[in-house]
Amino acid sequence: MLTFSPAAVDTEPAATLLGEYFTSRELGFTGGKYRVFTPDPAMFTPPAGVFLVARADDEAVGCGGVRRIADAEDGAVRFEIKHLWLRPSTRGKGYGRSMLTALEERAVELGATRLVLDTNATLAAAGGLYRSSGYVDVPAYNDNPNATNWYAKDV
């Protein structure tokens, strides 16, 4: 069974999981040099956001967070999903969808009316997960040099 618990991004096991995430992105990145942006812990602390660690059989296997960003021009309260990652050994078990759902639920609890995220086209499975979860392509809402695709979903 997969469980989720809040964690500060600069404490264990969240810091280790984020390190694994950044390493995996650097190794698989094909759009030039991947730029690592170390998350600010305050951005993932309620009410600004939350960071979750996923555990299976009491082993930390993944992480992800949501953080408040500027409201949309139409007044939607936006939260951004960041750093959703699961260890390769867990893939294909539906854990990514479970993590995404948990992050969406936390964002709604914090007041989100629209969720946004960005990703890179090389992460085809991630793009498929987002589209099958109701996210639609939108114009770039940030200047993330690692991103090629931007998505949004009203909640």
Side-chain angles (χ1 to χ4, degrees):
M1 177 177 177
L2 198 62
T3 60
F4 304 98
S5 57
V9 298
D10 56 353
T11 62
E12 291 304 326
T16 293
L17 291 163
L18 277 169
E20 292 175 18
Y21 164 75
F22 290 130
T23 297
S24 73
R25 291 300 302 126
E26 287 176 305
L27 293 174
F29 194 68
T30 59
K33 181 168 174 27
Y34 182 80
R35 293 189 48 204
V36 173
F37 297 95
T38 305
D40 176 358
M43 295 298 297
F44 294 95
T45 302
V50 66
F51 196 81
L52 300 177
V53 169
R55 287 183 166 73
D57 300 322
D58 207 35
E59 176 189 353
V61 297
C63 62
V66 292
R67 65 181 182 181
R68 177 118 189 230
I69 63 171
D71 290 350
E73 289 181 14
D74 65 3
V77 177
R78 296 189 308 172
F79 275 72
E80 182 180 39
I81 294 176
K82 295 297 293 180
H83 313 306
L84 192 161
W85 182 78
L86 291 154
R87 287 185 169 150
S89 62
T90 68
R91 301 204 180 134
K93 298 180 179 182
Y95 290 1
R97 187 169 306 280
S98 294
M99 172 63 87
L100 180 59
T101 298
L103 292 170
E104 290 173 340
E105 290 170 353
R106 298 317 191 285
V108 169
E109 289 170 5
L110 292 168
T113 61
R114 181 170 300 145
L115 300 173
V116 296
L117 56 90
D118 61 38
T119 191
N120 188 280
T122 61
L123 299 172
L129 169 65
Y130 302 139
R131 285 187 299 279
S132 70
S133 298
Y135 288 82
V136 296
D137 292 288
V138 295
Y141 63 85
N142 64 24
D143 60 358
N144 181 352
N146 302 321
T148 59
N149 301 76
W150 290 262
Y151 298 98
K153 175 181 177 178
D154 287 341
V155 291

Short mmCIF file of all heavy atoms in Angstrom, two decimals, residues 6-7 41-51 66 79 110:
data_model
loop_
_atom_site.label_atom_id
_atom_site.label_comp_id
_atom_site.label_asym_id
_atom_site.label_seq_id
_atom_site.Cartn_x
_atom_site.Cartn_y
_atom_site.Cartn_z
N PRO A 6 3.74 14.42 4.70
CA PRO A 6 4.41 15.70 4.44
C PRO A 6 5.85 15.64 4.97
O PRO A 6 6.13 14.99 5.99
CB PRO A 6 3.59 16.71 5.22
CG PRO A 6 2.36 16.02 5.68
CD PRO A 6 2.62 14.56 5.62
N ALA A 7 6.73 16.34 4.29
CA ALA A 7 8.13 16.41 4.70
C ALA A 7 8.73 17.72 4.21
O ALA A 7 8.37 18.21 3.15
CB ALA A 7 8.91 15.22 4.13
N PRO A 41 12.47 25.54 0.85
CA PRO A 41 11.57 24.84 1.79
C PRO A 41 10.31 25.65 2.14
O PRO A 41 9.24 25.07 2.32
CB PRO A 41 12.45 24.62 3.03
CG PRO A 41 13.85 24.60 2.50
CD PRO A 41 13.85 25.59 1.35
N ALA A 42 10.43 26.97 2.21
CA ALA A 42 9.27 27.79 2.58
C ALA A 42 8.15 27.69 1.55
O ALA A 42 6.97 27.81 1.90
CB ALA A 42 9.69 29.25 2.75
N MET A 43 8.49 27.44 0.28
CA MET A 43 7.48 27.34 -0.77
C MET A 43 6.67 26.05 -0.66
O MET A 43 5.61 25.94 -1.28
CB MET A 43 8.14 27.42 -2.15
CG MET A 43 8.80 28.75 -2.44
SD MET A 43 7.66 30.15 -2.46
CE MET A 43 6.60 29.70 -3.81
N PHE A 44 7.18 25.09 0.09
CA PHE A 44 6.50 23.80 0.22
C PHE A 44 6.08 23.56 1.67
O PHE A 44 6.03 22.42 2.13
CB PHE A 44 7.41 22.68 -0.29
CG PHE A 44 7.66 22.78 -1.77
CD1 PHE A 44 8.79 23.40 -2.26
CD2 PHE A 44 6.73 22.28 -2.67
CE1 PHE A 44 9.01 23.51 -3.62
CE2 PHE A 44 6.93 22.39 -4.04
CZ PHE A 44 8.07 23.02 -4.51
N THR A 45 5.78 24.65 2.38
CA THR A 45 5.30 24.59 3.75
C THR A 45 3.95 25.29 3.80
O THR A 45 3.82 26.41 3.29
CB THR A 45 6.30 25.31 4.70
OG1 THR A 45 7.58 24.69 4.57
CG2 THR A 45 5.83 25.24 6.14
N PRO A 46 2.92 24.63 4.37
CA PRO A 46 1.60 25.26 4.41
C PRO A 46 1.66 26.63 5.07
O PRO A 46 2.43 26.81 6.00
CB PRO A 46 0.77 24.28 5.24
CG PRO A 46 1.46 22.96 5.06
CD PRO A 46 2.92 23.31 4.96
N PRO A 47 0.89 27.58 4.56
CA PRO A 47 -0.14 27.48 3.53
C PRO A 47 0.37 27.69 2.11
O PRO A 47 -0.40 27.64 1.16
CB PRO A 47 -1.12 28.59 3.91
CG PRO A 47 -0.23 29.66 4.47
CD PRO A 47 0.86 28.90 5.22
N ALA A 48 1.70 27.92 1.95
CA ALA A 48 2.25 28.18 0.62
C ALA A 48 2.28 26.93 -0.25
O ALA A 48 2.26 27.02 -1.47
CB ALA A 48 3.67 28.75 0.74
N GLY A 49 2.35 25.77 0.37
CA GLY A 49 2.42 24.52 -0.37
C GLY A 49 2.69 23.36 0.55
O GLY A 49 2.64 23.50 1.78
N VAL A 50 3.00 22.22 -0.04
CA VAL A 50 3.32 21.03 0.74
C VAL A 50 4.19 20.11 -0.13
O VAL A 50 4.07 20.12 -1.35
CB VAL A 50 2.05 20.29 1.23
CG1 VAL A 50 1.26 19.71 0.08
CG2 VAL A 50 2.38 19.23 2.26
N PHE A 51 5.07 19.38 0.53
CA PHE A 51 5.91 18.40 -0.14
C PHE A 51 5.60 17.05 0.49
O PHE A 51 5.53 16.94 1.72
CB PHE A 51 7.39 18.74 0.02
CG PHE A 51 8.27 18.01 -0.95
CD1 PHE A 51 8.41 18.46 -2.25
CD2 PHE A 51 8.94 16.86 -0.57
CE1 PHE A 51 9.20 17.78 -3.16
CE2 PHE A 51 9.73 16.18 -1.46
CZ PHE A 51 9.87 16.63 -2.77
N VAL A 66 3.50 20.59 -4.17
CA VAL A 66 2.67 21.64 -4.77
C VAL A 66 3.02 22.94 -4.06
O VAL A 66 3.31 22.95 -2.86
CB VAL A 66 1.16 21.37 -4.66
CG1 VAL A 66 0.75 20.19 -5.52
CG2 VAL A 66 0.70 21.19 -3.24
N PHE A 79 -1.85 26.68 -8.10
CA PHE A 79 -0.79 25.93 -7.42
C PHE A 79 -0.07 25.12 -8.48
O PHE A 79 -0.71 24.60 -9.41
CB PHE A 79 -1.36 25.01 -6.34
CG PHE A 79 -1.59 25.68 -5.02
CD1 PHE A 79 -2.62 26.59 -4.85
CD2 PHE A 79 -0.76 25.40 -3.93
CE1 PHE A 79 -2.83 27.21 -3.63
CE2 PHE A 79 -0.97 26.01 -2.71
CZ PHE A 79 -2.00 26.92 -2.55
N LEU A 110 -5.48 23.50 0.16
CA LEU A 110 -4.80 24.78 0.40
C LEU A 110 -5.45 25.94 -0.35
O LEU A 110 -5.01 27.08 -0.23
CB LEU A 110 -3.32 24.66 0.01
CG LEU A 110 -2.48 23.75 0.90
CD1 LEU A 110 -1.12 23.47 0.27
CD2 LEU A 110 -2.33 24.35 2.29
#
